[in-house]
Amino acid sequence: MRDFLDTPGHGKRGLPGQKVVVIAGGAGFVGSALCARLISSGQSVICVDNLVTGSADNIAALAKHPRFRFIRQDIISPLAISGPVDEIYNLACPASPPRYQANPIHTFRTSIEGSLNLLTLAERKGARILLASTSEIYGDPEISPQPESYRGCVNTVGPRACYDEGKRAAETLFWEYGAHRGLETRIARIFNTYGPQMDPEDGRVVSNFIVQSLRGQPLTVYGDGSQTRSFCYVDDLVEGLIRLMASDEKMPVNLGNPGEFTMLQLAELVQSKTGRRTPITFQPLPQDDPRQRRPDITRARDVLGWAPTVPLDRGLDKTIAWFAQRIGAPMPGKPVLVS
């Protein structure tokens, strides 16, 4: 995919209210949804992505839009962007355990060096900047639900540390730039998110269960399946990110759906929706895998007026339909042909 570096008319603030927004990691699952949402609302978007875990397919529909520009680059390298920039979203980091563990040092550097490069860009441009942090900063939590005041229970030398500790350090960088350099920084702690345009092979539980079920394969559950997660539909998350960017809130804000489900409940729900009653197989629980994950979204409700609106039941319908088309599987409810 070519880089859109010379879009006619780009680099000038247009109509009143129109902004120039940089989205690092903009070709990823969440990033591409954010790109599309901002373009549809009249903003100009500069998408930066190295396409290691992001995909050009995710932004193909935006490629020829006059207010969209794509730069293929790793944010570990400093960014040189001409013209004004109003806002920067830092979504650039692999988010699924198999992906961020594949190159743990690069994952850690993305959180640290990448954040420093984007903060430097924000300072140079006078832009507001938002960090997409994660619920993983809470580690394997000792309390539930997790409020932003909870400091977490994280293993600094385990297989998840490159991501968990990288994001914790990135939060510190954002805080320090805001507290001591006067930068307008925002921090979103994102809980499990799902929806169309997830990578079928990214290793996250929702995509794993859906793809396995649609393909008629056994569903893989780790541990005994009693561990819990909370699942937020991608459209709800994007709305929360935009509201947080527009707010005056400088402290971290949890963004997620407080509905809590065990892995077995999720597996059975996916099975019922695909109509494929394949077996459930159990594998050992990975090291440091959280036993419970549920956000306290009081701050998001109070400060942003935000709460998720799409229940898991409805969100899964949309996500399963997208995956069925993506991998060429029969749609749920249609007969499965066996040769």
Side-chain angles (χ1 to χ4, degrees):
M1 183 178 184
R2 67 188 177 93
D3 291 359
F4 297 89
L5 301 178
D6 298 305
T7 303
H10 187 80
K12 298 179 181 179
R13 290 180 176 89
L15 300 172
Q18 186 180 104
K19 297 175 182 176
V20 178
V21 183
V22 172
I23 303 178
F29 160 50
V30 173
S32 59
L34 180 60
C35 285
R37 170 68 184 276
L38 291 174
I39 288 290
S40 70
S41 66
Q43 313 308 322
S44 293
V45 171
I46 302 171
C47 170
V48 180
D49 204 298
N50 62 6
L51 299 184
V52 170
T53 57
S55 171
D57 291 341
N58 289 342
I59 53 174
L62 301 174
K64 294 182 180 179
H65 197 286
R67 285 185 279 103
F68 182 80
R69 171 184 171 189
F70 174 67
I71 301 174
R72 184 168 182 173
Q73 182 178 327
D74 193 317
I75 63 165
I76 287 177
S77 300
L79 275 72
I81 294 178
S82 61
V85 173
D86 299 289
E87 296 176 350
I88 301 171
Y89 289 84
N90 181 10
L91 279 67
C93 190
S96 71
R99 294 290 174 83
Y100 66 65
Q101 291 172 14
N103 193 340
I105 294 175
H106 186 270
T107 296
F108 194 73
R109 291 182 65 195
T110 299
S111 289
I112 308 304
E113 296 173 40
S115 288
L116 278 170
N117 285 330
L118 291 174
L119 287 162
T120 299
L121 177 65
E123 192 170 43
R124 189 166 69 246
K125 298 290 186 178
R128 180 173 293 189
I129 183 169
L130 181 148
L131 171 67
S133 187
T134 173
S135 61
E136 297 295 332
I137 66 103
Y138 298 123
D140 188 4
E142 303 147 307
I143 62 172
S144 185
Q146 293 86 55
E148 292 88 351
S149 59
Y150 176 57
R151 296 182 180 180
C153 178
V154 180
N155 180 5
T156 64
V157 292
R160 303 171 75 101
C162 61
Y163 184 68
D164 301 1
E165 288 296 308
K167 289 293 189 178
R168 287 166 70 95
E171 286 196 10
T172 300
L173 285 170
F174 270 67
W175 168 254
E176 296 294 353
Y177 265 77
H180 301 292
R181 305 283 283 267
L183 206 59
E184 286 288 332
T185 59
R186 305 290 180 264
I187 300 172
R189 290 180 179 164
I190 298 173
F191 284 67
N192 291 62
T193 304
Y194 71 101
Q197 296 195 168
M198 295 183 78
D199 183 345
E201 309 300 331
D202 75 353
R204 287 186 259 200
V205 65
V206 172
S207 53
N208 278 355
F209 283 173
I210 291 175
V211 170
Q212 289 173 337
S213 187
L214 287 173
R215 289 174 173 165
Q217 300 170 343
L219 271 62
T220 304
V221 171
Y222 295 95
D224 62 6
S226 64
Q227 66 271 32
T228 69
R229 296 292 185 271
S230 301
F231 301 102
C232 186
Y233 191 66
V234 64
D235 290 354
D236 283 332
L237 175 64
V238 166
E239 176 68 22
L241 291 173
I242 291 172
R243 291 193 185 201
L244 178 56
M245 178 67 90
S247 77
D248 294 325
E249 182 57 52
K250 299 182 184 299
M251 297 299 290
V253 177
N254 287 339
L255 294 178
N257 193 319
E260 189 176 16
F261 298 85
T262 68
M263 295 301 92
L264 278 178
Q265 287 175 321
L266 177 65
E268 291 165 358
L269 183 56
V270 169
Q271 285 180 325
S272 70
K273 287 187 171 296
T274 61
R276 292 156 174 76
R277 289 289 178 180
T278 55
I280 294 176
T281 61
F282 294 86
Q283 297 292 332
L285 193 67
Q287 182 182 340
D288 299 329
D289 194 65
R291 294 161 295 175
Q292 192 171 28
R293 185 60 54 72
R294 182 188 177 200
D296 181 332
I297 61 169
T298 302
R299 182 174 293 172
R301 291 181 188 273
D302 292 346
V303 175
L304 309 181
W306 177 89
T309 62
V310 180
L312 181 61
D313 184 73
R314 182 152 52 94
L316 280 178
D317 287 339
K318 297 180 180 182
T319 308
I320 290 170
W322 184 86
F323 270 108
Q325 183 179 34
R326 175 72 168 76
I327 67 175
M331 289 289 289
K334 293 185 178 181
V336 180
L337 301 179
V338 180
S339 58

